[in-house]
Amino acid sequence: MNEVIIQDMILATDNVLYRKEKYYSPLEGKTYLAERPCGYEGEFGLGIKTLIISLYYGGNMTQASC
């Protein structure tokens, strides 16, 4: 018997909608907006940020300056 392992990678999107609470304080005249979970700054999740760091350091890949 001859065994062969085939490796593959699946790329799929994982979109998450965060509903952030918003509160207005009439006394202070300010609006407060809830923050996103730690690590979710900007518009990219932790998986994409990790991949970019891995490609930069492990794959020696950079983006050309314009």
Side-chain angles (χ1 to χ4, degrees), residues 9-42:
M9 182 170 59
I10 297 173
L11 299 177
T13 59
D14 183 21
N15 299 319
V16 178
L17 172 66
Y18 288 100
R19 295 181 186 264
K20 303 189 313 180
E21 292 289 330
K22 192 175 192 179
Y23 173 75
Y24 176 74
S25 171
L27 182 64
E28 297 179 10
K30 291 175 65 177
T31 301
Y32 295 92
L33 184 62
E35 296 181 6
R36 285 180 265 179
C38 185
Y40 287 92
E41 295 82 19

